[in-house]
Amino acid sequence: MPGALDLLIRNARVVDADGDQGVRDVAIREGVIVAVEPEIATRALREIDASGLTLLPGVVDSHVHLTDLAAGDRVTKRSPAHERLARAGVTTAVEFFDFETVLDQWHASSAGLTILGLQGLPAYTDSTPLARITDDVASALREGAIGIKLLGGHFPSSPDASAHAIAEGEQAGCYVAFHAGTTANGSNLDGMREALQLADGKPLHLAHTNAYLRGAVLDLVEENTTALRWLSEHPQVVSEAHLAPLNLCVGAMEGDRFTDHIVVNCLRLGGYPPERRGLLAAFADGFAYCLRQDAVAATPVTGDEGRAVWEADPEHTSLCFPVNRRLSGFMQSSARTAADGTLRYEGAGEFVVDAISSDGGYWRNLILDQGLALVQFGALSLAQLAHKTSRAPAALFGIPGKGSIAPGADADIVGVDRGRREVRFTIAAGAVIFDGERVVGSGGAVLTTEHGGAALRERNIPHRVLDLEASEFLRRGKSGGRLGGA
Ligand SMILES: [Zn+2]
């Protein structure tokens, strides 16, 4: 290995989707891993002794929100989400709501991560002219997004208009994600079935499958096995699931009514009247939370503290309720098809849901915390966790160089204390971006399509063009084949 190294990580257990390589030294030069060996003698500008820690490939979070959804039109110039992701071991993240705002915030926010994203479409009706949908898709790509997101559950379009948007995305050759739900069906098992039907054989990314499975339509286990069977029957649809118990909605009120009808549904679900006194009772019982924002984290707080934070500014405060069922997170994250075709929750197999995401970014960056809990529980091996949190999501979007700890791979690595389920350092493009205490990363890069280069040049944002033709999303959409399991 001629020449000095930039970084040498010593004595760490190295695990990626190919398996457990044992205790190794990992050598990094110019942003790339150049050697993974039992002992490396070459000198490096910086060395990290990682004895007792495990190295995993940097997390590729396939569904994040880098902007503060509760901020509304008060969107801030800077987003702390990049730093929060770095603390959670994430080195690549895909925005799933408003990529234009992410780009507006880039220079004040970037922390060394690779970022790509989708642009949410407005709600369409049956009378929306098709040309308008065509224009919105083209504009999303021109502004730098790699595709579009149908916001369904939050801002539903009509079923026909949703199908048109999916077809327009296919025409444009771009990425298309769907938060299930239309004006005809809610964001539940029925909405999920409708989303698969509306895709009609076209490529589609079905967002957070666990979030549709709350036992509202069938028994919870039956809902989960039904959803997993449908996904197996629609191999052109890719998907991800998250492991967070709390959801997120907007705390604004008009008179004694909540403007976000998800708040109303959650209060009803918890047995509370869907009005102010119901929310106060839910805070007192620990059923309602709100997000307390500080520089490092957005922390869910309940009881008197939660009530006080909400009452200080209801309009710009996020409310959360523990409505995401743990069993759905577990089943959707760990279900695999064994060689004999049966559904399993341990052992080898091909995962039904492609990736574990956070649906976080701004908060609840729980991929490794909860993913390592699944490993402790025996539902996933460490190699399978690395597959579902890094290699598989990288493949979904066709991001080259990610998901391996091997010579030639991008030096995107996270060092974890497995027992404590704690991220001890995060390395992106060969540089330490989180040192265990502080986020020290800056810059990074945006991935875009050939249509987005001009806009990113104008914004002076470092970027590379992504070849979506190489993505599992388009490959599966065309051939109906599936990713292998780890
Ligand atoms: Zn989301």
Side-chain angles (χ1 to χ4, degrees):
M1 222 177 333
L5 299 166
D6 295 330
L7 180 62
L8 186 57
I9 309 169
R10 290 202 182 277
N11 306 317
R13 181 98 171 251
V14 173
V15 182
D16 68 9
D18 291 324
D20 187 335
Q21 306 179 39
V23 174
R24 293 284 184 272
D25 289 353
V26 177
I28 293 164
R29 186 190 292 134
E30 290 173 6
V32 175
I33 297 170
V34 292
V36 182
E37 288 164 18
E39 207 172 332
I40 295 173
T42 315
R43 291 219 160 261
L45 295 172
R46 181 171 183 184
E47 292 195 8
I48 297 174
D49 181 8
S51 300
L53 301 183
T54 300
L55 302 188
L56 296 168
V59 172
V60 176
D61 192 338
S62 51
H63 180 160
V64 303
H65 298 279
L66 295 167
T67 57
D68 182 359
L69 297 175
D73 50 11
R74 290 203 322 188
V75 174
T76 48
K77 195 172 180 314
R78 182 182 169 280
S79 164
H82 297 251
E83 293 189 4
R84 292 172 184 170
L85 286 162
R87 287 179 180 275
V90 177
T91 51
T92 301
V94 188
E95 163 67 25
F96 257 56
F97 185 73
D98 183 2
F99 196 58
E100 238 187 294
T101 300
V102 169
L103 295 179
D104 290 343
Q105 295 173 331
W106 169 268
H107 289 290
S109 312
S110 61
L113 285 82
T114 299
I115 302 284
L116 55 161
L118 308 175
Q119 186 62 42
L121 296 175
Y124 301 126
T125 67
D126 282 342
S127 52
T128 303
L130 281 186
R132 160 86 199 283
I133 303 180
T134 313
D135 284 352
D136 286 349
V137 173
S139 146
L141 297 178
R142 222 171 29 240
E143 293 300 326
I146 63 153
I148 51 170
K149 163 117 181 259
L150 285 75
L151 299 171
H154 300 286
F155 306 102
S157 293
S158 70
D160 279 355
S162 302
H164 285 313
I166 295 169
E168 280 301 326
E170 190 198 29
Q171 277 294 316
C174 73
Y175 207 93
V176 182
F178 194 178
H179 176 145
T182 64
T183 49
N185 280 289
S187 188
N188 55 24
L189 189 69
D190 293 333
M192 181 174 166
R193 173 171 48 205
E194 181 191 39
L196 296 170
Q197 286 164 349
L198 293 174
D200 193 26
K202 298 175 191 68
L204 185 70
H205 176 127
L206 187 65
H208 50 48
T209 62
N210 61 295
Y212 314 126
L213 310 171
R214 292 174 177 165
V217 178
L218 301 170
D219 159 77
L220 191 61
V221 171
E222 211 178 322
E223 281 194 359
N224 271 278
T225 45
T226 303
L228 291 165
R229 193 182 70 240
W230 288 346
L231 288 170
S232 301
E233 290 166 359
H234 292 80
Q236 94 286 2
V237 174
V238 303
S239 58
E240 105 286 328
H242 72 72
L243 292 160
L246 294 175
N247 76 340
L248 187 75
C249 26
V250 176
M253 296 197 83
E254 265 166 22
D256 199 37
R257 302 168 66 93
F258 291 97
T259 57
D260 188 339
H261 60 226
I262 297 180
V263 176
V264 172
N265 292 344
C266 289
L267 288 173
R268 286 209 176 105
L269 199 71
Y272 300 94
E275 54 204 60
R276 187 185 164 80
R277 70 187 167 96
L279 179 65
L280 298 186
F283 274 125
D285 292 348
F287 180 74
Y289 293 74
C290 84
L291 286 188
R292 191 191 65 211
Q293 302 278 356
D294 59 51
V296 170
T299 311
V301 289
T302 184
D304 290 344
E305 189 183 1
R307 174 182 171 162
V309 174
W310 176 71
E311 283 183 328
D313 187 5
E315 199 182 333
H316 299 105
T317 300
S318 295
L319 292 173
C320 320
F321 299 90
V323 292
N324 289 322
R325 305 293 291 270
R326 308 318 304 272
L327 186 64
S328 297
F330 170 79
M331 290 179 77
Q332 297 297 305
S333 298
S334 55
R336 65 211 76 170
T337 311
D340 64 2
T342 57
L343 214 51
R344 299 277 175 81
Y345 298 91
E346 57 181 15
E350 217 171 64
F351 289 106
V352 181
V353 173
D354 296 274
I356 296 175
S357 62
S358 70
D359 196 3
Y362 218 80
W363 70 306
R364 67 173 192 192
N365 293 303
L366 297 171
I367 291 181
L368 286 180
D369 174 65
Q370 295 289 291
L372 286 166
L374 285 184
V375 172
Q376 290 170 339
F377 189 61
L380 296 175
S381 69
L382 262 184
Q384 286 172 324
L385 180 68
H387 172 85
K388 293 211 64 159
T389 61
S390 189
R391 185 169 299 174
L396 282 186
F397 298 91
I399 309 169
K402 312 292 185 197
S404 295
I405 302 182
D410 289 357
D412 288 4
I413 295 171
V414 53
V416 298
D417 179 332
R418 286 162 58 186
R420 293 171 185 263
R421 310 205 311 262
E422 213 172 74
V423 172
R424 299 286 292 275
F425 58 83
T426 307
I427 292 166
V432 174
I433 62 167
F434 170 59
D435 65 10
E437 284 177 16
R438 291 182 318 125
V439 174
V440 292
S442 62
V446 163
L447 303 179
T448 187
T449 69
E450 54 187 359
H451 308 290
L456 288 162
R457 259 192 306 281
E458 198 156 304
R459 287 176 178 274
N460 210 8
I461 294 177
H463 58 279
R464 297 192 297 275
V465 169
L466 187 67
D467 178 15
L468 277 176
E469 289 296 325
S471 71
E472 190 66 16
F473 171 79
L474 282 189
R475 197 187 71 72
R476 282 252 292 279
K478 282 170 184 159
S479 72
R482 285 193 66 88
L483 270 178

